[in-house]
Amino acid sequence: MASTQTTDVVIAGAGPTGLMLALELRLAGIDVTLVDALPGRSGESRAGGIHARTMELLDQRGLLAPLLERGRVMQAGHFGGLRMDFGDFPTRFPYMLGLVQSEIERELDARARDAGAAVHWGSPVVGLAQDGTGVEVELGGEHPRRVRAAYLVGCDGGRSSVRKLAGIGFSGTESTVLGMLADVQLADPPEDMFFGARRGPGDYSVIQLQPGSWRLIVQRHDRVHERGAEPTFEDFRRSFTEVAGTDFGMHDPIWFSHYGDAARLADRYRDGRVLLAGDAAHIHYPAGGQGLNTGVQDAVNLGWKLAASVRGDAPAGLLDTYGGERRPVGERLLHNTRAQTQLMRPGAHADALRDVMGDLLGTDDVRHRLGLMITGLDQRYETGCDHPLAGRRVPDAELRAPGGVTRIGELLGSGRPVLLALRDADALEATAKGWLDQVVFALAASVSEHWPLPGQGECAVPAGVLIRPDGHAAWAGEADDADGLRAALARWVGDRPGVA
Ligand SMILES: Cc1cc2nc3c(=O)[nH]c(=O)nc-3n(C[C@H](O)[C@H](O)[C@H](O)COP(=O)(O)OP(=O)(O)OC[C@H]3O[C@@H](n4cnc5c(N)ncnc54)[C@H](O)[C@@H]3O)c2cc1C
């Protein structure tokens, strides 16, 4: 075995989660070794798009524009096959961006390479041993070697080796359905896309990916997905035709796959110097298009906390807030996808349930409640501050700054915390003076007097907001809440002994 290399963080898995984490860590100047078991990028289409919160995060880091150019705006998503319009959601991106996972990965991969985190392909993690100061990571493949790092993050998918090697349990429920999907061309396409049309023992969806390119999905509730059993494309065509009554003239499949609705969550997201993110931490039924999105959001929540831990300037307990904040999001994800499976089952009971839910989704309150959850816009973390904005993602509001009109998202590009002073800047700056080398102090006026809070109405624009690098407000309030601001700076940016 080759001698041990050293790095700050080993990331196992170069899917969307691993790539996003690599980008976040490189932005913070952290050394990253990004390894993947595969010999090269698979090019599998997989996820069909990204939701509003993921778009906001990518936008903050300057990663979104090329994806917007290549993607397709989809005004609506669905909950268990019941259509949900996102058009009036309070975000710059009130839609789903239809773009296959392989395209998203290609872009993130190129950006990670530019940032100094090229993928080492053919390098599966096969062993690990941690001690008080780091992790010894054993890589297999044709060039077995060891890498020593301060931390190892398993972004290595649902069958995560890192999770198993760290002895972290993966509890949940078994699969109850068989889902199959194929990306094809259609000789006889329907007029429009539709989600979850139910017939007999199954349901089917027809989604246009690009002009001329369609994703067909069929779910059989009378069959169960079994690991190791590999249906063929012909099985898919037969099953789809049985349920839909037509195959829409499908031909030239470029990708075909199958899945179930097993739902499992890692018992914990951290074991010492080993962490989990993305599918390695949560698997579920791919309903509502949430898996990739949740993985990218995990990565952005973890990146800055891990960077501070590697540098050694993280406030006490910061790294544990990753699991504290993201595991409940994973729990909620499993919960809503289980509910969606139930809505899609055949039979009179599910028919009645769908009628009731369909009626409820016709009301804005319910549509917003479920849609904001699926899009990730309503997430709120506990921050110790009781302002209505605290813990929520800060809206991408327009600002008048000394250099001209800007918006909050643009202030977050450096990946550092931002203290945004909208009024009483002198007092806020004086309060934060012990931390000004660690935060971006931004002076601006808000163009509007109120900011929308997804699902909660709106709030009056506060005098100041301390924004975490993941775009969530750690503190918001008036300048006279100096104790509150100092407590938030100490908790989220860095302990400053001696700062009163
Ligand atoms: C059929 C299907 C349809 C889907 N549709 C959607 C959708 O519409 N919307 C949505 O958001 N999500 C969807 N998903 C889910 C989405 O694809 C996943 O949630 C997403 O890929 C998770 O990203 P990840 O980076 O966490 O893991 P993955 O993308 O699984 O990446 C894990 C990487 O780790 C590597 N790896 C594995 N073992 C090791 C090891 N020992 N060492 C090093 N590397 C290793 C793998 O080779 C892989 O490259 C779908 C999934 C499937 C299967």
Side-chain angles (χ1 to χ4, degrees), residues 11-19 35-38 41-42 44-51 96 101 105 121 123-126 139 154-162 165 181 215 255 257-259 277-282 284 286-296:
I11 300 175
T17 307
L19 289 167
V35 298
D36 198 289
L38 290 175
R41 190 137 316 276
S42 76
E44 285 189 359
S45 318
R46 298 182 76 179
I50 45 180
H51 281 300
M96 187 173 183
Q101 181 166 336
E105 287 179 359
W121 296 105
S123 305
V125 170
V126 294
L139 300 177
C155 303
D156 50 345
R159 295 178 191 172
S160 171
S161 306
V162 172
L165 290 165
L181 84 179
R215 172 165 295 180
W255 181 61
S257 188
H258 59 102
Y259 58 88
D279 276 18
H282 37 74
H284 56 88
Q290 301 173 83
L292 179 155
N293 288 274
T294 309
V296 169

Side-chain angles (χ1 to χ4, degrees), residues 25 28 30 303-315 318 492-493:
L25 291 171
I30 303 300
W304 60 283
K305 297 173 181 174
L306 193 54
S309 305
V310 170
R311 284 195 306 266
D313 59 15
L318 183 71
W492 298 105
V493 179

Side-chain angles (χ1 to χ4, degrees), residues 68-115:
L68 282 180
E69 268 173 33
R70 296 209 285 274
R72 181 165 177 278
V73 170
M74 293 160 69
Q75 199 60 61
H78 71 97
F79 189 85
L82 298 166
R83 187 186 157 90
M84 269 189 311
D85 203 297
F86 299 144
D88 60 351
F89 284 16
T91 166
R92 205 167 284 279
F93 311 104
Y95 50 82
M96 187 173 183
L97 185 71
L99 188 64
V100 290
Q101 181 166 336
S102 49
E103 290 275 315
I104 297 165
E105 287 179 359
R106 200 153 59 101
E107 178 63 26
L108 295 182
D109 192 318
R111 299 295 286 265
R113 205 174 325 119
D114 291 348

